[in-house]
Amino acid sequence: MTLLSDPRGTMPMRSGIGEADYGTPKSNSETLVSVTIDGETHIVPEGTSVMRAAGEAGCDIPKLCATDSLQPFGSCRMCIVEIDGRRGTPASCTTPVEDGMVVRTQTAKVAKLRKGVMELYISDHPLDCLTCSANGDCELQDMAGVAGLREVRYGMDGKNHLEAPTDASNPYFSFDESKCIVCNRCVRACDEVQGTLALTIEGRGFNSKVSPGGLNFLSSECVSCGACVQACPTATLQEKSVIDLGMPTRTVQTTCAYCGVGCSFNAELRGDELVRMVPTKTGGANEGHSCVKGRFAWGYASHSDRVTKPMLREKITDDWREVSWDEAIQYTATKLKEIQAKYGDNSIGGISSSRCTNEEIFVVQKMVRAAFGNNNIDTCARVCHSPTGYGLSTTYGTSAGTQDFKSVAQSDVIVVIGANPTDAHPVFASRMKRRIRQGANLIVIDPRKIDLVESAHIKADHHLQLQPGTNVAVINAIAHVIATEGLIDEDFVAERCDPGPFNRWRKFIELPENSPEVVAAQSGVPAETIRQAARMYATGKNAAIYYGLGVTEHSQGSTMVMGMANLAMATGNIGRDGVGVNPLRGQNNVQGACDMGSFPHELSGYRHVSDNAVREQFEMLWDVKLMSDPGMRIPNMFDNAISGEFRGLFVHGEDIAQSDPNTMHVEKSLKAMDLVVVQDLFLNETSKFAHVFLPGTSFLEKDGTFTNAERRINRVRPVMAAKNGKQEWQIVCELAQAMGYEMHYDNAAQIMDEIAEITPTFKGVSFAMLDEVGSVQWPCNDAAPSGTPIMHVDGFVRGQGQFMETPFVPTEERSNRKFPLLLTTGRILSQYNVGAQTRRTANVTWHPEDVLEIHESDAAMRGIVDGQKIAVSSRIGETILVAHVSERVPAGVVHTTFHHPTSGANVITTEFSDWATNCPEFKVTAVEIRPADSSAAPTNTLESVLTKA
Ligand code: SF4
Ligand code: SF4
Ligand code: SF4
Ligand code: FES
């Protein structure tokens, strides 16, 4: 969809090309009232402002301090109107319509007053419109025109702000104070939309000005979400890309490719050049908000490191050789077939990527099953949310979160477990913070003191600061309190859940070993804190659980997911707005990767490969015989490579050598294979072991869909031509064909049509449908043609909800005298996953290297000071990081990120994994730390390994 101009062709706006701005938020009242505006009568919901009612009727009222993403403020006086029976000229933005109200928006009186207001603004504004970067996109300029201002009587000689300095400290936007009209929109955007409260208006009267608090924007609390830039009606806050490249002229709507929130953006271009990404107000997941990654960190797509030509080499010690697509595809197919001829059909496999589109993922798993002839397909979801799939499908019958994001606005108690939303899912975190500021209670269960525990206007009611590895003990203790204190919702359980498993669970959970007093000793969380949190969760009207990788990446990840599912069922917190159990998915399309049949045991829609009826449907459609036995998981592929049975791997957009645990083991297995094929944007750690490199496409070049953490299927549209000359699904089809399996589509829409044909939960989905409605949450089929925002409303997908016993089994990874500290890993706001994208943007300004957070007492005991290089050793390996002495971690726990390959954080993580899904236990590694030589480089990084090899 390409829009060339504002379809309404009316009032100019700042919120992005093609999006109307009605000045004040929509009223959701069901009561309707009648209002007459300039002689015409209109019916609007009660609570609608006069400004909005007029705007919706096509009669725009001039405005400066109002925008429909913010509550009305009423400071600029540009929006005055006359209302019959009212004295004076009220501001239309702050005046709600009343039944029978008669409004006149264009009288001579208001025109004169507006012109006078505008004259005052302009008299303190640099009149450089023609050379200003916002020329054509400035509401002040437009309002001057609307007010009919031709000259300024006061001249420019008086006291003014024209010499005020520009703050260019932020890498992505600048703040030119001389152009500020102090409308307060930026301050309110930071408060109301983002929830960071980084800005204030300093001073009074003439001296009032916007202040980021610190020295400048970069040194302030600002998290560069861009909400203030979007809200600013002038060029005061302006994207540097617009200043450099000029105003965009056209828009393509697409979806962010970073995290599982799945924000919708208008990619705004000038010719073929991308100028800026503006979050769309109609985006179901983000409703006009963004974070620094989606808003600004897209430059990697055009980075000079991009590989755009296929490359080959016989040995990994050879130099790469650029080849044609034909040669690359033929070589790969021939090699894979040779390996199979020599070592058997099962000797090759593939890994699909959660960064790619549903359509690309679907064809990758189809290629493996149909062209490779086995089920050796796995996905990077293996190392993050596979326990979510197992746990939620066992208890509820479906492998996905239960709510839409909007649901949190109805929550009375919010429980955040093992997740750090302000860093990893920032746009959803803003929604959550808004609800908490409105009064919802907050319980945080996390070893670290994440931002939500205490930040601007937010304070958790309870922080259960547990020892890493004791999640299950704590969730059991919470359930124990609920069961033994009579807090179970007996009616819900009797009506909705299977009684046998419930009774067994009840007996189990009431055992003394699950009491808070016993668990306090295991987890370090005081028994009384557990009791209070349990009561709060069980007695709050609507209680919702949100969780992340701090739940799943454990040896008991699946047990913990089931423990949370039990808790929601036991308290009746499932099946309506404001409640539920919600995984905050890491990557943009991790939900889609799972939905599309990327696991070795499941076809699309989570149907087991051993189900004859299901398999027959696929065999008929694909015209091929499929294997009925599950294939290898990623860890099996690695193990079997080392033992010599698994010899060829197709890795689709996933840097396994950096992101998977126990790097040395991964490297050893990659080195043992005869053929490693990597399809990606950049040469990465895995490609160091590859023989074929197939260049991929960035999200700005893709055509397809992503499915976010709330099961929302969003369109991804090509903003620019594919730099490699091919869509990724085409490359995969060509490889399948070269291997002898006929696989062809004319376009990505046809792939979605096939997905819909064969996947019951996607039955009603097509590109045409998505283009019409924007997005839809699966299941979308005959039973739910408009999709399903909330799951399990009238009954669980599996019929009756199934309680599962969840005994706590401590991980085998324990601290001891040699490795006395427990290392846990996480993400930070400005970087993403292995950093391949964000490290190639100005986001490195905020996180140039991975650091190790260590408590003051642990640091002092080892003679370590902040900023010092330290050696971190585990039973598996050793790496070098920089110490950051921090109160975020308790004594005995250390924390790091894994965004930079040089730190090689996964060199030290172990191979322990979830008992059900093999999801690695990234969150618990016993380590010791000692000061390192200041010149020390990471010892076991891939670089050093290759040098040694
Ligand atoms: S920076 Fe922009 S939004 Fe903020 S007060 Fe100034 S003009 Fe208004
Ligand atoms: S970019 Fe976001 S966080 Fe920073 S000042 Fe603006 S609204 Fe606040
Ligand atoms: S919250 Fe996630 S999806 Fe949204 S802009 Fe940020 S990284 Fe992109
Ligand atoms: S827009 Fe209404 S007072 Fe500013």
Side-chain angles (χ1 to χ4, degrees):
M1 183 177 62
T2 304
L3 296 172
L4 293 176
S5 63
D6 168 21
R8 293 173 76 227
T10 54
M11 190 73 78
M13 64 214 73
R14 193 73 202 289
S15 48
I17 303 171
E19 289 210 282
D21 182 351
Y22 296 104
T24 63
K26 193 171 172 225
S27 163
N28 292 321
S29 171
E30 286 176 6
T31 309
L32 299 177
V33 293
S34 163
V35 57
T36 302
I37 300 170
D38 295 339
E40 281 196 29
T41 301
H42 307 280
I43 306 294
V44 295
E46 192 174 44
T48 303
S49 70
V50 169
M51 172 179 278
R52 185 165 186 119
E56 286 178 354
C59 164
D60 292 307
I61 297 172
K63 59 181 171 49
L64 278 173
C65 69
T67 184
D68 60 12
S69 57
L70 304 173
Q71 293 304 315
F73 191 60
S75 72
C76 75
R77 302 285 300 155
M78 273 303 285
C79 69
I80 51 174
V81 291
E82 291 193 76
I83 299 176
D84 283 6
R86 297 233 179 147
R87 283 176 42 195
T89 48
S92 62
C93 63
T94 50
T95 307
V97 291
E98 286 173 12
D99 201 33
M101 186 181 259
V102 177
V103 180
R104 278 168 298 131
T105 71
Q106 308 294 342
T107 65
K109 183 179 177 185
V110 296
K112 189 171 173 216
L113 289 169
R114 285 176 192 156
K115 196 168 172 180
V117 170
M118 185 48 69
E119 205 174 356
L120 284 170
Y121 276 118
I122 295 295
S123 67
D124 188 10
H125 197 80
L127 293 177
D128 58 356
C129 296
L130 287 182
T131 52
C132 176
S133 58
N135 188 17
D137 185 38
C138 171
E139 292 183 42
L140 188 69
Q141 183 186 38
D142 297 323
M143 289 309 113
V146 168
L149 191 70
R150 298 282 172 266
E151 57 179 353
V152 179
R153 284 171 294 164
Y154 312 122
M156 309 298 258
D157 303 334
K159 216 171 153 198
N160 59 44
H161 299 86
L162 303 182
E163 300 303 322
T166 295
D167 173 358
S169 60
N170 186 289
Y172 295 118
F173 60 85
S174 68
F175 173 63
D176 179 354
E177 203 182 317
S178 71
K179 290 179 173 159
C180 181
I181 58 172
V182 202
C183 67
N184 215 294
R185 274 163 64 160
C186 54
V187 179
R188 288 179 286 139
C190 194
D191 295 2
E192 294 174 27
V193 179
Q194 165 57 23
T196 292
L197 292 87
L199 301 177
T200 50
I201 299 287
E202 248 176 40
R204 299 174 76 93
F206 177 82
N207 293 322
S208 58
K209 61 172 193 173
V210 173
S211 166
L215 188 63
N216 52 31
F217 269 81
L218 191 62
S219 64
S220 73
E221 296 290 308
C222 169
V223 292
S224 297
C225 71
C228 57
V229 181
Q230 199 171 344
C232 181
T234 66
T236 312
L237 283 160
Q238 181 73 284
E239 298 93 346
K240 288 182 175 173
S241 57
V242 172
I243 297 171
D244 291 345
L245 302 170
M247 284 307 300
T249 51
R250 66 185 181 97
T251 290
V252 180
Q253 193 170 320
T254 190
T255 304
C256 176
Y258 279 115
C259 84
V261 177
C263 296
S264 296
F265 280 86
N266 280 338
E268 295 189 354
L269 297 105
R270 187 177 178 87
D272 288 336
E273 189 148 31
L274 181 57
V275 177
R276 66 178 171 188
M277 296 285 282
V278 179
T280 51
K281 290 193 282 193
T282 50
N286 56 324
E287 296 181 307
H289 192 31
S290 59
C291 83
V292 60
K293 293 191 285 287
R295 179 76 152 95
F296 296 117
W298 38 265
Y300 71 88
S302 308
H303 196 279
S304 56
D305 285 354
R306 275 282 299 270
V307 179
T308 54
K309 301 238 167 33
M311 300 190 297
L312 294 183
R313 57 183 176 184
E314 288 291 330
K315 299 195 293 294
I316 62 169
T317 45
D318 292 349
D319 289 336
W320 285 108
R321 180 169 63 87
E322 277 186 9
V323 295
S324 68
W325 274 110
D326 269 357
E327 186 179 346
I329 300 278
Q330 287 307 329
Y331 178 89
T332 307
T334 306
K335 277 277 180 193
L336 287 171
K337 284 195 290 186
E338 277 173 14
I339 292 171
Q340 283 190 305
K342 201 162 163 193
Y343 299 100
D345 285 351
N346 222 17
S347 57
I348 63 172
I351 297 175
S352 74
S353 168
S354 298
R355 294 214 298 272
C356 292
T357 63
N358 286 320
E359 294 69 20
E360 290 164 341
I361 294 164
F362 186 80
V363 294
V364 168
Q365 61 88 33
K366 180 174 173 180
M367 172 183 74
V368 170
R369 297 187 203 278
F372 292 10
N374 60 43
N375 284 321
N376 294 335
I377 174 72
D378 207 354
T379 170
C380 50
R382 170 74 52 214
V383 299
C384 65
H385 265 289
S386 48
T388 289
Y390 183 91
L392 292 183
S393 64
T394 305
T395 48
Y396 298 166
T398 197
S399 301
T402 61
Q403 309 298 114
D404 59 358
F405 289 145
K406 281 187 191 141
S407 160
V408 76
Q410 310 295 324
S411 298
D412 301 298
V413 178
I414 297 168
V415 188
V416 178
I417 311 179
N420 187 4
T422 51
D423 279 56
H425 303 88
V427 167
F428 176 68
S430 292
R431 278 186 195 269
M432 191 183 259
K433 288 194 288 186
R434 210 172 303 146
R435 183 62 188 152
I436 296 165
R437 287 202 307 274
Q438 286 167 354
N441 291 115
L442 173 65
I443 299 166
V444 175
I445 305 179
D446 201 293
R448 276 177 91 222
K449 194 174 167 195
I450 57 170
D451 278 350
L452 279 179
V453 171
E454 193 161 6
S455 57
H457 294 221
I458 303 254
K459 190 168 183 346
D461 295 274
H462 301 292
H463 178 202
L464 280 57
Q465 199 166 15
L466 74 184
Q467 278 289 298
T470 60
N471 280 339
V472 172
V474 170
I475 210 78
N476 284 347
I478 291 173
H480 177 93
V481 175
I482 289 167
T484 54
E485 295 192 5
L487 299 175
I488 286 181
D489 184 340
E490 304 283 357
D491 291 345
F492 181 91
V493 172
E495 198 184 317
R496 300 281 302 268
C497 303
D498 194 344
F502 169 69
N503 290 331
R504 285 195 290 277
W505 173 80
R506 183 177 220 159
K507 225 167 148 186
F508 153 76
I509 210 73
E510 288 180 352
L511 292 173
E513 70 200 41
N514 292 319
S515 70
E517 288 67 28
V518 172
V519 168
Q522 295 161 332
S523 66
V525 184
E528 188 50 27
T529 309
I530 295 175
R531 286 194 181 276
Q532 286 178 14
R535 290 171 196 143
M536 182 176 274
Y537 175 78
T539 59
K541 197 163 141 246
N542 288 330
I545 295 173
Y546 293 89
Y547 71 93
L549 303 182
V551 158
T552 53
E553 289 177 343
H554 283 281
S555 59
Q556 281 203 290
S558 294
T559 314
M560 179 63 182
V561 173
M562 293 189 289
M564 297 183 302
N566 290 337
L567 209 57
M569 285 192 288
T571 52
N573 276 310
I574 206 84
R576 61 178 190 277
D577 257 327
V579 298
V581 180
N582 302 286
L584 294 172
R585 304 282 190 163
Q587 307 218 52
N588 54 323
N589 201 27
V590 70
Q591 180 70 57
C594 302
D595 301 342
M596 291 299 104
S598 289
F599 287 126
H601 65 293
E602 279 172 343
L603 291 153
S604 67
Y606 304 97
R607 290 160 300 158
H608 206 277
V609 288
S610 63
D611 183 325
N612 292 341
V614 169
R615 220 176 45 256
E616 275 165 24
Q617 287 172 28
F618 279 86
E619 287 176 343
M620 195 111 74
L621 186 70
W622 292 353
D623 193 21
V624 71
K625 193 83 192 138
L626 298 176
M627 276 179 67
S628 58
D629 293 332
M632 293 178 207
R633 295 172 174 183
I634 293 171
N636 307 133
M637 293 180 194
F638 293 154
D639 292 345
N640 291 345
I642 289 170
S643 62
E645 297 141 46
F646 188 80
R647 319 284 299 204
L649 180 64
F650 177 87
V651 189
H652 188 216
E654 173 70 2
D655 194 359
I656 47 178
Q658 195 185 339
S659 64
D660 283 40
N662 193 351
T663 309
M664 302 300 279
H665 182 70
V666 177
E667 290 165 8
K668 198 172 166 196
S669 69
L670 288 170
K671 274 198 256 176
M673 291 186 213
D674 297 335
L675 183 74
V676 174
V677 184
V678 167
Q679 183 162 320
D680 218 313
L681 298 183
F682 306 103
L683 287 169
N684 56 24
E685 300 308 313
T686 308
S687 67
K688 287 174 180 165
F689 303 92
H691 307 85
V692 181
F693 188 91
L694 303 174
T697 51
S698 76
F699 80 110
L700 294 170
E701 296 144 55
K702 291 184 191 294
D703 192 6
T705 55
F706 292 151
T707 307
N708 76 355
E710 45 166 10
R711 294 169 280 105
R712 186 182 298 280
I713 306 162
N714 277 313
R715 278 284 276 126
V716 184
R717 297 184 179 87
V719 171
M720 53 183 67
K723 289 188 189 299
N724 63 353
K726 280 182 198 288
Q727 288 290 324
E728 292 198 24
W729 56 264
Q730 287 176 306
I731 302 165
V732 176
C733 287
E734 285 172 21
L735 180 54
Q737 266 167 258
M739 291 191 70
Y741 176 71
E742 188 55 35
M743 190 155 95
H744 174 82
Y745 304 91
D746 291 337
N747 50 49
Q750 283 183 357
I751 306 175
M752 177 51 83
D753 291 345
E754 184 174 316
I755 295 166
E757 186 182 343
I758 196 77
T759 314
T761 43
F762 276 64
K763 201 115 212 124
V765 183
S766 67
F767 279 18
M769 184 256 198
L770 293 171
D771 289 345
E772 193 184 323
V773 302
S775 63
V776 73
Q777 288 170 266
W778 67 255
C780 173
N781 46 29
D782 293 343
S786 315
T788 312
I790 312 263
M791 300 282 290
H792 317 298
V793 173
D794 298 318
F796 287 99
V797 169
R798 70 181 301 283
Q800 289 183 309
Q802 169 148 294
F803 278 83
M804 295 294 292
E805 289 171 54
T806 53
F808 170 54
V809 181
T811 171
E812 288 174 44
E813 179 68 1
R814 313 255 166 90
S815 54
N816 58 16
R817 269 180 38 198
K818 193 163 174 214
F819 300 106
L821 302 168
L822 288 180
L823 169 76
T824 183
T825 60
R827 295 180 182 180
I828 61 140
L829 173 67
S830 59
Q831 293 294 330
Y832 175 72
N833 206 276
V834 296
Q837 294 137 294
T838 43
R839 280 188 284 107
R840 291 182 170 92
T841 70
N843 278 26
V844 289
T845 308
W846 293 282
H847 188 79
E849 60 187 355
D850 290 319
V851 299
L852 186 100
E853 286 180 358
I854 180 168
H855 189 268
E856 200 178 8
S857 61
D858 290 327
M861 210 184 289
R862 291 164 178 79
I864 290 167
V865 294
D866 194 62
Q868 182 174 357
K869 277 205 171 156
I870 47 168
V872 186
S873 52
S874 72
R875 294 181 180 92
I876 298 296
E878 179 173 295
T879 191
I880 304 291
L881 288 163
V882 171
H884 176 52
V885 178
S886 167
E887 284 182 357
R888 278 182 186 268
V889 285
V893 176
V894 290
H895 172 269
T896 189
T897 49
F898 56 96
H899 301 306
H900 291 266
T902 45
S903 61
N906 281 330
V907 167
I908 48 180
T909 50
T910 71
E911 275 190 285
F912 290 121
S913 65
D914 175 45
W915 62 271
T917 65
N918 276 142
C919 182
E921 190 167 48
F922 282 131
K923 302 298 180 186
V924 193
T925 307
V927 295
E928 177 54 305
I929 288 164
R930 60 182 160 75
D933 187 305
S934 61
S935 62
T939 49
N940 282 342
T941 62
L942 302 178
E943 297 283 0
S944 60
V945 166
L946 280 179
T947 315
K948 284 181 214 156

